[in-house]
Structures are given as structure tokens and as C-alpha cells.
Amino acid sequence: MGHTEQLSMSELQTYLMDFAHCEDESDVFQLLASLLQDKLEFEDCIVLNRYKDRYYETIAATNAVFHAESWPECQLFSEALEKGCVLSKCPLQELEFALLNCIDKVSLKNSLVISIDSVGGQGLFIFTNVGISNCHNILNTATMKILLQQVYFTFINQVKLQKQTLKSLSMINKFTTLSTLFKELGTEWFWRSDSSMLFKSVNNIETVGNIYTEKFVGNSIESLITKSEQLNVDKWRDFNQIIENQEDFYNFEFEVTSVQDFWVSFSGKPQFDEQGYFAGYLGLAKNITVSKEREAALQAEKLKAEDASKTKSKFLSVMSHEIRTPIHAVMGMIELLLDTKLTPEQQQLVNYANSSTEILYGLITDVLDFSKIESGTVSFISKPFNIKLLSENIVGQLNIIEKSDDILFTTNIDENIPKYVVGDEYRLGQILFNVIGNAFKFTKHGQITLNVNLFNEQLIFDVKDSGIGIAKKNLELIFQPFSQVNDSINRKSEGVGLGLSISKNLLELMGGEITLETQLGLGSKFTISIPFKEAKDSENTHSVIQKQASLSILVAEDNKTNQVLIKAYLEKLNHKVTLANEGREAIELFKRKKFDLVLMDIMMPIMDGLSAAEYIRDELISDIPIYALTANAEKDNKASCFKVGMNKVLTKPIKFQALQEALSGVYPRG
């Protein structure tokens, strides 16, 4: 065919069929080159597709440097779209070419641009370094236009196919990843049994080395369980009853024996054939070995924590006795001292000492029984007390402890406050001591004021100081346990940061509250409000010591100071007292002498009070009243006392009036 010959229709059909069979871009360009080799000389062919307004993208090119290029539509392309084709003798001067990234990598001369309109879109063919002598005659023919349209359409379809393939490959890769993840982490699998509960099949994602198939198929559950599972007779009896009744079951857990035993959870539903006969079970199973191991670890930690708690409780029980015993003696001696003739100054000092020991006892009780505070089971005593005396005693104590010429401490108590109110005196004293003591701690010089008023049936205590104040960012810390806002400015011992936290918790349990107004550098004001109830006259009257027949009382107590105290109490009530230093000595005295009552300390050397009381009941066959004396009045300790036959439990430190009331029902034994 000569250079000026047109492409015939039969040739066109042949080439179109050939293009339809091309598998990739290379095949298409190779076929196009063979078709045009005697019609058009060119170096490269670039096929563009319009992808947005005035921009084209390369969809195919004989030269790889043109791939991934974006082409703007400027004068050259616009002219090609208008005329159908255009020849540029200086393509590097055209904006379309000048803006290419690869322009410095190619040598361009005469370039022919042909526009293509197709149902697939609008495109351009660019032939570079063409021979210009005959290009117009060939490319203006109708058959050649049709052929280029088919080439363009072929490239468009290949691009779409390539994108679709990439998308499919991406989806396949995604599902492969998920499948692999499920294979590695998935623990669920399906199972089916026959009417005899033998496993017929196991469907699991594993196709090779499926341990579930190997272990279960052809076997029953009972034949696979571990020896420890076989001991759970009740569990398996109930399960077999469910199977016999052909009922659904869910999350039935058991351990399977294997090279490495594992746990499974089974759920199943009964299946029936077309005639309605039971055909077996179909269900879902899950490997729960990891969760069981975690459960076992948690159980071990729980047991360890329980052991630690028992050890703590034992420690607290011992420490409670050891610490409270001397406090008992101090409080008792002060009570005896108050009953003697004292000068006004001595009376005031003893009142201070008495109030301090009450507060100290409360603090020790809180520290030793902190578990009760944390659980909100702190007990409170409701009885009449002198609110003015309590306030004055605390003020007096702090004046002595915190005495400073740089601080003026004043107190104002509303005259309308009744003399006696009902409540817990030492808890309230503890709170006031903490708050006022805190004011002294953070005030180097200036003034501290305590104001006590009545408002809306509430007792209001305002503690105002001219100290350093507290920054807003630290307000949340002030009532937190073991927190110190600024340790560096404490005037004296910083403590452990429990005072305000304990005070806040105690107030909330008593139905009150504590609030704070403060500004850094300008002082603070703590306001304590607590429900108020005036004591009736009958409540204020102390019990008059009624005359009671003299009793012969055996007191078993190892602490010498407490011996002196309890003996003084009892003799004041006109009773005869015999002292024993420990349980064995008490038993020997009991054998030799007749007594009306035994007061028995629980913790003593050689023989403790519980053992001694048990001996009196079981060996000496005596029903004499035995009262326990203990510094630890927890529920378990009281139960231990009653278990060995004791009649009553008296808690140290015991007050004179409480002892008198406890003895009121005891009479001489003839």
C-alpha cells in the first residue's frame, strides 16, 4: 500500500479484530506501529484521556517517561479539538509540553496531535518526531479516524480493567489479612453430634492440623475431659440431664485432656430429622483457655490478698490491745483524778488532759481500724456533752501546744448555744482539733479565730486564719488523704496528711459538711456545720451511784497500771477485789476462794482469758458470771468470748459509769 493510499474497510475490520485480541498496552502499540509503518513515521505515541475540565492524563505511551503525566489544555490542544488534528513544528514552545515534568528527558521536534471523540470519553493522540511530508493525507481519512477511536477505546478499557483489578487485589489482600487474623486469633468453631452425642464433624478455619477435629470427631465429651473434671460429679449429672431432656444449653465449660490441656465453652441446640426424631446436637464452641488462665491468676491474687488481709487483721488486733491498754490506764487515772479535790488551775489542766486523751484514743482507733473508715462503718456515740466546755478545752490545749507571741488566738461562742447538746463528743473534738491545728500549722504570724454559732438547727464552727492561704489549683488536694499542699512552709511536724481527710469523712457520716474559703497569701476560713440537737434535762443528769451489795470480784489483768485502775473503780463501788496476773493464776485463785464475778482480760501471758474462761466452764463446771475485758471489741472477738461461755464483753478503756452499769445486774452468790 503506497504512502497516499487510504485504509480500506476490509483492512479496517481485520485490524479492529486484531486490536480486540490485544492483551496489554504493548500489544496495542506494536499492532498500531505495524499498521502505520508505511503511512506515518513517528518516534513515540502518547494517548491522553480528558479526566477533568481542561486537563488530560496519560493512559498509554510507548515511552515510559510520559506515564503519570498530567497535561493542561492550552492553545495547541484547543486547536486540535477544533480542527481534529494539528501539527506543531516546535512542540517545546507549546505550554502543554513546557509544563511536563519529563520535558528535560526527551528530545521533541514535529509533533502531531489528533483529537478523538468516543462514547468512552474525549482523548488525544500525540505522535512525536513525525515525518511531515504525508501525515495530513493519511490521518484525514475516515477509516484511520475509526481505527484510532478503537485504539483509544481499547486503552480506556484496559485502564478501567487495570483499576478494577487493583481494587479487587486490594479487597483480596484485605480479606486475606482478616482471614489470617481470624485464623490466628479466632477461637470459635462449629460442631455437630449424632443422637448418641458422638461428634460427627468439626468445622474450623484450620484445614491442616486441626486439633479440634483430631480430638473430638468420633468421641463423646465424657471421654475427653480431664481427671479433675471427672471429679465434678454434680456438674456432669446436670449436663447429662439436659442432654437426656434434649434441651438447649449455653456456655457449658469443661477442660479437655490433651498434650497441653485446654478449656472450651460449648453451646448447643438439639436437631431433629423430618420424622421428628432426635438426630443429635448442632452448636458453637469456643476456646476459653486464655480467659480461664486469667481467671485462675486473678483467683490466686485474690487468695493472696485475703491472706494479706488476715495478716493485717491479726496485726491490728494485737496492736489494738497493746496501744489501747496504756491509753485505758491514762484515761482511767484522769477520771479518778477528776473525782478528787483539785484547785481551779489543776481542774483546768486535768480537763485539758482528759480532752486530749479522748481525742488521742479516737485517733488511735481510726488508725488501727482504718478498714472500717474506708468501708464507711465507723460507729458514733450519741450522748449529751457540754459544747462550750469542749470548745474551751480544745482552745486551751492548742494555746498550750501552739503557744506563740506572733499569733493571737481568740474564740467567740454564741450565748444562745445550750450548755448540753447530743452527739459524739470525741469525734467532734477530733474534727475541731484537726482543723484548728491545721490553721496553726500554716499561720506564722497574725490571728486565728474560732466562732461558734447556731444557724438553721446547725452548729456552725468558723475557723479563720491570716495564714498563707491555698492556691485554687490545690483546692482539690486539701481534703485528699496523704496530701500536703506545700510541705516546705509547715511550721512544725507536717504529719501524714490525714487530718482534714478524716474530718471531712467523719462530718459526712454525721450528716454535716466542711467548706473552705481561701485566697493565696490572704488566709483561709474553714466552716464546719453539723446537725444540732439540744439535750433534755433528763439526759444531762448523770446516774447516781446506787448502793449495791458488796461483791467479791476476781480480776485477771496482766497490766499493772490497769490493775490499779480497775481495783480503784471497784473499791469505789464498795466491792472486794482479788487480782490475778494471768489466766492460770486466776484459775488457782478461783479454786481456793469463792467469787461473785470474774473480770477477765483476753490477752495475757502464760494463759489467755479465753482459755481460762473455757476451763472454768468446762473443767470446773461453774456458771459464775464472767465478763471479758478487751481493747479489741470487733465482732469476731466478741463472738470468741461468747463461744467459751463469757456473759458480757466490756471494751477498754472502760469508764467508771459504764462499769457501774455493767455490774448493776450482778448479785452475791450466797
Side-chain angles (χ1 to χ4, degrees):
M1 202 164 43
H3 282 260
T4 59
E5 294 182 27
Q6 296 187 16
L7 186 66
S8 66
M9 291 301 296
S10 61
E11 290 177 320
L12 175 62
Q13 290 177 353
T14 300
Y15 280 118
L16 291 178
M17 291 179 63
D18 291 339
F19 278 122
H21 289 91
C22 290
E23 295 183 356
D24 56 25
E25 180 182 305
S26 178
D27 290 346
V28 176
F29 277 127
Q30 188 175 358
L31 182 59
L32 182 62
S34 66
L35 185 153
L36 296 177
Q37 63 182 349
D38 57 350
K39 298 178 178 62
L40 180 65
E41 297 176 2
F42 65 92
E43 183 175 340
D44 289 314
C45 178
I46 310 162
V47 184
L48 309 182
N49 177 57
R50 192 185 192 107
Y51 72 95
K52 63 181 181 179
D53 188 36
R54 302 184 70 81
Y55 276 93
Y56 293 79
E57 62 179 345
T58 302
I59 61 172
T62 55
N63 191 339
V65 299
F66 293 105
H67 281 285
E69 286 284 5
S70 180
W71 305 68
E73 181 184 313
C74 300
Q75 183 176 351
L76 180 63
F77 285 1
S78 296
E79 186 177 350
L81 292 173
E82 182 181 349
K83 297 179 179 180
C85 67
V86 63
L87 177 66
S88 175
K89 294 182 179 181
C90 299
L92 294 178
Q93 296 180 6
E94 303 290 348
L95 287 177
E96 286 88 345
F97 288 89
L99 296 176
L100 295 179
N101 294 322
C102 65
I103 194 64
D104 57 342
K105 300 179 182 179
V106 294
S107 176
L108 297 176
K109 296 180 182 178
N110 301 321
S111 293
L112 181 65
V113 183
I114 304 170
S115 67
I116 298 296
D117 286 319
S118 168
V119 292
Q122 189 175 54
L124 296 171
F125 277 79
I126 301 175
F127 294 93
T128 67
N129 299 346
V130 300
I132 62 174
S133 58
N134 60 346
C135 61
H136 285 288
N137 293 330
I138 295 299
L139 297 175
N140 278 333
T141 61
T143 52
M144 187 59 69
K145 281 280 190 179
I146 294 173
L147 183 67
L148 291 179
Q149 285 179 343
Q150 182 61 37
V151 173
Y152 169 74
F153 186 69
T154 300
F155 281 132
I156 287 293
N157 286 338
Q158 286 186 354
V159 170
K160 289 182 178 179
L161 179 61
Q162 184 180 20
K163 289 181 178 180
Q164 187 62 42
T165 300
L166 290 174
K167 184 177 179 181
S168 298
L169 288 174
S170 176
M171 292 180 65
I172 291 172
N173 182 63
K174 180 179 179 180
F175 284 116
T176 301
T177 302
L178 292 175
S179 177
T180 302
L181 186 64
F182 181 77
K183 179 178 179 181
E184 293 177 354
L185 302 180
T187 57
E188 289 83 3
W189 42 282
F190 293 96
W191 60 274
R192 184 185 291 274
S193 73
D194 60 17
S195 58
S196 300
M197 285 305 291
L198 294 177
F199 288 97
K200 293 171 56 179
S201 64
V202 170
N203 295 323
N204 180 258
I205 194 169
E206 291 281 2
T207 57
V208 179
N210 187 345
I211 186 174
Y212 304 120
T213 299
E214 295 174 0
K215 291 295 297 184
F216 284 85
V217 174
N219 296 309
S220 65
I221 293 180
E222 287 86 344
S223 67
L224 298 172
I225 61 177
T226 60
K227 291 182 179 180
S228 59
E229 277 290 344
Q230 295 172 11
L231 300 176
N232 296 325
V233 179
D234 293 340
K235 169 184 175 180
W236 289 100
R237 184 182 63 246
D238 295 342
F239 177 72
N240 289 328
Q241 187 63 50
I242 292 173
I243 301 302
E244 185 178 337
N245 295 338
Q246 299 171 3
E247 300 174 354
D248 296 354
F249 62 89
Y250 301 94
N251 301 321
F252 179 71
E253 300 177 358
F254 58 92
E255 188 178 25
V256 178
T257 182
S258 183
V259 176
Q260 186 172 354
D261 297 345
F262 60 92
W263 280 86
V264 291
S265 173
F266 265 50
S267 298
K269 295 182 73 67
Q271 305 297 303
F272 302 91
D273 60 20
E274 295 179 356
Q275 287 75 37
Y277 293 108
F278 175 63
Y281 271 86
L282 177 64
L284 183 69
K286 180 180 181 180
N287 190 313
I288 58 171
T289 304
V290 174
S291 61
K292 277 292 182 180
E293 290 175 348
R294 187 181 297 115
E295 182 181 318
L298 290 174
Q299 182 64 23
E301 290 297 323
K302 180 183 177 183
L303 291 175
K304 189 184 296 184
E306 289 175 350
D307 288 340
S309 179
K310 290 178 181 177
T311 302
K312 179 205 72 175
S313 298
K314 186 177 181 180
F315 169 78
L316 290 178
S317 178
V318 174
M319 290 304 296
S320 174
H321 181 274
E322 295 300 323
I323 294 177
R324 287 174 178 170
T325 296
I327 293 296
H328 171 210
V330 173
M331 296 176 73
M333 294 301 178
I334 291 175
E335 188 172 7
L336 289 176
L337 187 60
L338 284 169
D339 202 33
T340 63
K341 189 174 182 180
L342 302 171
T343 66
E345 183 181 359
Q346 290 173 332
Q347 181 75 38
Q348 185 181 38
L349 292 174
V350 173
N351 283 340
Y352 291 163
N354 188 46
S355 181
S356 293
T357 53
E358 291 279 0
I359 294 171
L360 178 60
Y361 178 74
L363 287 170
I364 292 172
T365 300
D366 283 345
V367 172
L368 293 176
D369 299 333
F370 68 90
S371 58
K372 290 197 300 182
I373 297 177
E374 290 178 342
S375 61
T377 57
V378 181
S379 60
F380 294 92
I381 299 173
S382 183
K383 65 177 184 179
F385 67 94
N386 189 324
I387 186 66
K388 293 182 179 180
L389 181 60
L390 173 66
S391 301
E392 290 170 356
N393 284 341
I394 291 174
V395 170
Q397 294 168 59
L398 287 169
N399 268 324
I400 294 173
I401 298 171
E402 302 284 356
K403 187 173 182 180
S404 171
D405 295 334
D406 297 325
I407 299 175
L408 176 62
F409 185 21
T410 59
T411 180
N412 300 299
I413 301 177
D414 189 345
E415 294 181 356
N416 293 322
I417 295 176
K419 184 175 182 180
Y420 288 95
V421 297
V422 177
D424 194 317
E425 180 178 12
Y426 88 83
R427 291 293 189 188
L428 179 57
Q430 176 184 349
I431 293 167
L432 291 175
F433 200 90
N434 281 335
V435 175
I436 301 172
N438 192 71
F440 272 101
K441 183 183 294 186
F442 294 99
T443 304
K444 293 182 178 180
H445 52 78
Q447 185 174 0
I448 298 175
T449 304
L450 168 65
N451 294 316
V452 186
N453 297 285
L454 280 176
F455 182 74
N456 288 340
E457 297 184 349
Q458 298 266 325
L459 274 173
I460 309 296
F461 299 85
D462 286 327
V463 180
K464 188 175 182 181
D465 65 68
S466 59
I468 62 171
I470 303 167
K472 289 184 178 180
K473 65 179 182 179
N474 293 323
L475 289 178
E476 293 183 1
L477 297 175
I478 197 68
F479 293 111
Q480 295 297 319
F482 306 106
S483 296
Q484 294 283 351
V485 174
N486 188 345
D487 291 334
S488 63
I489 46 77
N490 289 350
R491 297 177 63 248
K492 296 185 182 293
S493 174
E494 293 87 352
V496 293
L498 279 174
L500 292 179
S501 175
I502 291 176
S503 298
K504 183 176 186 296
N505 289 330
L506 289 175
L507 278 168
E508 289 175 353
L509 292 172
M510 295 165 71
E513 66 174 349
I514 181 170
T515 59
L516 168 63
E517 298 176 22
T518 183
Q519 190 172 348
L520 189 63
L522 298 179
S524 305
K525 184 176 86 168
F526 286 87
T527 299
I528 298 165
S529 59
I530 191 168
F532 154 76
K533 180 184 176 183
E534 184 176 357
K536 299 178 181 178
D537 291 337
S538 58
E539 294 177 310
N540 300 337
T541 305
H542 293 286
S543 299
V544 178
I545 299 177
Q546 298 178 355
K547 286 190 176 182
Q548 181 183 19
S550 178
L551 300 174
S552 178
I553 301 175
L554 172 62
V555 177
E557 167 66 66
D558 63 310
N559 186 277
K560 297 298 182 182
T561 305
N562 284 339
Q563 286 181 358
V564 173
L565 177 64
I566 195 72
K567 187 173 184 292
Y569 277 175
L570 293 173
E571 289 179 346
K572 186 175 181 179
L573 291 170
N574 198 34
H575 300 307
K576 299 175 182 178
V577 180
T578 302
L579 296 173
N581 295 299
E582 43 85 19
R584 185 174 299 173
E585 183 181 345
I587 290 173
E588 294 302 319
L589 289 170
F590 189 86
K591 290 178 181 179
R592 297 197 302 265
K593 187 177 179 180
K594 185 177 180 181
F595 296 101
D596 302 312
L597 173 69
V598 177
L599 296 180
M600 187 79 74
D601 185 28
I602 298 302
M603 297 182 68
M604 294 184 294
I606 304 177
M607 178 181 282
D608 62 79
L610 295 176
S611 300
E614 190 173 24
Y615 188 90
I616 292 172
R617 291 287 185 246
D618 297 342
E619 301 298 328
L620 302 181
I621 318 297
S622 173
D623 62 350
I624 186 173
I626 304 176
Y627 289 2
L629 293 173
T630 177
N632 188 9
E634 294 295 329
K635 183 178 180 181
D636 292 341
N637 295 85
K638 287 184 176 180
S640 299
C641 295
F642 294 133
K643 186 177 180 180
V644 297
M646 292 186 173
N647 303 86
K648 189 174 291 187
V649 178
L650 304 180
T651 306
K652 298 178 183 179
I654 188 169
K655 294 297 187 69
F656 177 80
Q657 186 176 351
L659 179 62
Q660 180 193 13
E661 292 174 358
L663 300 182
S664 61
V666 181
Y667 302 97
R669 296 175 63 83

